[in-house]
Amino acid sequence: MGAHELAVRWAAMLDGAVAPTLTRDQVEELLDGYGERLIAAVRGAEDMSVAREAAAALVAANYRDPLAVHRSVLVLCKDLVENVCPNPSCAEYGPVRERAIELAAEFAAEFTAGLRNASLAEQETTLVAALTAAREAEARRQLSEARFQAIFEGASVGIGTVDITTGQVVDVNHAMAETLGVPAELMPGQSVAAILGPDNIGEAFALMQRLRSGEIDRFRFESDHAKPDGTRTIIDLSMTVVRDSEGNPRFLVGVTVDVTERKQLADQLWYDAHHDSLTGLPNRLLFFDRLAAASGQVGVCYLDLDGFKEINDRRGHTAGDRVLCDVAHRLRAALPPDETVARLGGDEFIVLVENCSGQAQLDSVADALLAALRQPFDVAGLSVHVGASIGTALVDTHSIAIDELMHAVDTAMYRDKATRHGRYTIRDGS
C-alpha cells in the first residue's frame, strides 16, 4: 500500500464525519498531499509537524465531528504502520509504531486546538454581533427589535443580558436556559447569584461585581456547573459591559457555551496518546513523564519476556496479544496502586517504584513481578509458560540522567537473560 492508497483508505474512514465543503475525491486529493510525508515521518526521515498540518487542513475543511479524530488516529496507528512495516516481526516495527503513536498524538493535539479555536471564533463573532447591535440600538435608536430577537433566540450559544445597576437578569435565550438547566421564563427579574445557585456562583459572582463597579470591562473563564437536576457540565462563560455612546455602562451581556464534550474529547485523546492500545497500561511517553517528575530515590524494574516470540510463531499474533494482556494484568495486580507499570513496546515492560526505601524493597517488587508470571497462561485451552528476564536499578533522581538509568536497567536485563539467574541488579547506574 503506497501513499495514494493510504490517502484513499483514510478518506474512506472519514466517510460519515460530515465535511460539507469537500467531495470524496477532494478529500482524497487533500490527504494525498500528506501521504508521502507521513510515511517519511514514521521512518524517522520527516518532522512530526506534518501530522499537525494534516489536522489543521481537515479542520479547515470543516471536519468538526470527534469521529474524524477517532478514525484518523486509527489510520495513523494501524494503516500507516502496516504501510511501512507490514510484518510486525521486522526489526523496525517497534520504532515505527512508536513514531506512529507520536504522530497520532500530534494530530489529535492540533485537531483539538482547531476545534476549540473554531468554537471560540463562533462565540466571539456572536458576542461581537450582539454588542454591535446593542450599541447601534442605543446610539441610533433605530434597532429592529424583530431582527435582533431572531438573532438572539436563534444563536447556538447562550446569551443573556443583566441590568448593571440591580444585577438582575433582563432576558435570556433558549440556548442559555439549556446550558444552565433553568427554564428561560424563570430567569428574568432574578439575580445571577440566585439563578446559578451557591454551588456555581463562586468566581462568577466576584468577577461580575468587579464588572458592575467598573474595575474591569470583561471576563471569561471555564467552570464546572451543576444543573438543578444534578447533571454536571463544563461551561465557558464570558461577560462584557455594554456602554452607550458617551461611555456610560448600560447593561451586561453574558455568553455561555457548554464545552463538556470538547473537554471529554480532549481528555480521551490525552489518554489514548499516553496509554498502550493493546494492554491499557501507560506507554513509553507517560512512563518517562512520570520518571522525569519523580524526586528522591526511585527503583526501576525492566522486564523482557522469554519465549514470547515462539508463542507468536506457533500460536499466532492473536494468541500473543492475549498473553501480553494477561501479563499486563498480572503485573498490575502484583503492584500497589501508586506504582507505575508500563509497556515499552513488544514484550518489554517496565516498573517505576517512586520513593523506594532501598534495595530490599526493590528486590521484593522484582520477586513479586517474577512470581506473578510463574503460573501458566491459557492460550486457546492450552497451558503456556512465559518466563521473564529482569533488570533492576536503584538510583537517586538528582544524580543520574534518565538515559543513564535506562542504559543501566537495560544492561542488567540482558545480563540476566544471558545468565538465567533470575535477576541482575545495577546500583546508581554503575
Side-chain angles (χ1 to χ4, degrees):
M1 181 171 63
H4 177 68
E5 289 76 16
L6 179 66
V8 172
R9 169 63 175 163
W10 195 349
M13 288 287 284
L14 289 176
D15 277 348
V18 181
T21 61
L22 297 180
T23 65
R24 170 64 179 276
D25 289 341
Q26 290 173 324
V27 174
E28 291 182 7
E29 182 178 356
L30 172 67
L31 297 175
D32 203 17
Y34 297 98
E36 290 291 349
R37 295 176 63 197
L38 287 169
I39 291 173
V42 297
R43 286 175 173 162
E46 172 79 21
D47 191 85
M48 290 291 173
S49 63
V50 61
R52 288 185 173 270
E53 295 176 22
L58 288 179
V59 173
N62 208 36
Y63 278 98
R64 304 295 171 83
D65 190 340
L67 187 62
V69 187
H70 173 76
R71 292 181 177 179
S72 295
V73 168
L74 290 179
V75 170
L76 295 174
C77 289
K78 292 184 178 179
D79 297 88
L80 185 56
V81 173
E82 291 177 3
N83 181 290
V84 176
C85 287
N87 185 356
S89 64
C90 73
E92 284 298 310
Y93 183 82
V96 165
R97 187 172 182 276
E98 291 298 324
R99 287 192 285 268
I101 291 174
E102 187 176 351
L103 272 175
E106 292 290 327
F107 178 91
E110 181 64 25
F111 199 100
T112 302
L115 288 181
R116 181 177 185 275
N117 291 336
S119 174
L120 294 182
E122 179 186 354
Q123 178 181 337
E124 289 295 332
T125 299
T126 302
L127 179 57
V128 169
L131 292 176
T132 301
R135 290 192 182 105
E136 291 178 354
E138 188 65 21
R140 302 177 186 178
R141 301 182 182 278
Q142 295 178 354
L143 176 68
S144 169
E145 183 63 28
R147 182 180 179 186
F148 175 76
Q149 196 65 26
I151 297 174
F152 183 78
E153 291 295 340
S156 61
V157 297
I159 303 175
T161 57
V162 178
D163 187 301
I164 197 168
T165 303
T166 64
Q168 294 180 334
V169 172
V170 178
D171 198 8
V172 298
N173 66 358
H174 292 295
M176 173 75 80
E178 184 176 348
T179 300
L180 299 182
V182 180
E185 62 272 14
L186 298 183
M187 285 193 261
Q190 291 197 63
S191 68
V192 174
I195 293 172
L196 293 180
D199 292 338
N200 303 311
I201 190 58
E203 185 177 358
F205 181 77
L207 290 171
M208 196 182 76
Q209 294 302 105
R210 295 177 65 190
L211 278 180
R212 294 178 62 192
S213 68
E215 184 179 347
I216 58 176
D217 281 336
R218 67 192 66 204
F219 68 80
R220 177 179 185 174
F221 70 100
E222 287 185 3
S223 175
D224 290 335
H225 179 76
K227 293 183 178 180
D229 64 1
T231 303
R232 301 199 69 86
T233 60
I234 302 174
I235 63 171
D236 185 302
L237 171 64
S238 301
M239 190 163 281
T240 303
V241 177
V242 178
R243 301 178 182 275
D244 61 21
S245 59
E246 297 179 357
N248 299 314
R250 301 294 296 173
F251 55 91
L252 307 178
V253 173
V255 177
T256 58
V257 179
D258 188 333
V259 296
T260 305
E261 290 186 2
R262 175 176 65 79
K263 294 287 286 186
Q264 290 173 343
L265 172 62
D267 291 344
Q268 184 61 48
L269 290 174
W270 185 93
Y271 181 90
D272 292 343
H274 289 79
H275 289 79
D276 177 49
S277 60
L278 176 64
T279 64
L281 291 177
N283 61 14
R284 177 186 296 270
L285 178 62
L286 182 54
F287 174 81
F288 283 113
D289 282 349
R290 292 182 178 176
L291 180 58
S295 59
Q297 184 171 254
V298 300
V300 177
C301 299
Y302 186 18
L303 293 91
D304 180 84
L305 301 185
D306 295 330
F308 180 73
K309 183 178 183 302
E310 183 179 356
I311 295 175
N312 270 339
D313 293 343
R314 297 183 61 183
R315 306 298 180 189
H317 289 285
T318 299
D321 288 349
R322 180 65 255 173
V323 170
L324 288 175
C325 290
D326 289 345
V327 167
H329 176 74
R330 291 191 189 182
L331 295 180
R332 178 66 273 170
L335 296 171
D338 57 344
E339 293 176 5
T340 298
V341 56
R343 183 187 177 207
L344 296 183
D347 58 354
E348 298 177 351
F349 297 82
I350 194 163
V351 173
L352 174 64
V353 182
E354 297 188 49
N355 301 313
C356 187
S357 62
Q359 189 61 48
Q361 181 185 357
L362 187 57
D363 288 343
S364 176
V365 171
D367 289 339
L369 296 173
L370 292 173
L373 302 181
R374 288 198 182 102
Q375 294 300 317
F377 294 83
D378 181 78
V379 179
L382 299 176
S383 292
V384 176
H385 288 272
V386 176
S389 299
I390 185 168
T392 65
L394 180 67
V395 299
D396 187 329
T397 56
H398 298 299
S399 62
I400 187 170
I402 292 178
D403 288 344
E404 296 176 23
L405 171 61
M406 291 307 300
H407 177 71
V409 293
D410 186 63
T411 301
M413 184 274 294
Y414 278 107
R415 289 185 183 177
D416 174 51
K417 186 179 286 288
T419 59
R420 303 297 179 184
H421 287 165
R423 182 168 66 253
Y424 189 87
T425 298
I426 294 289
R427 293 176 181 270
D428 293 325
S430 59

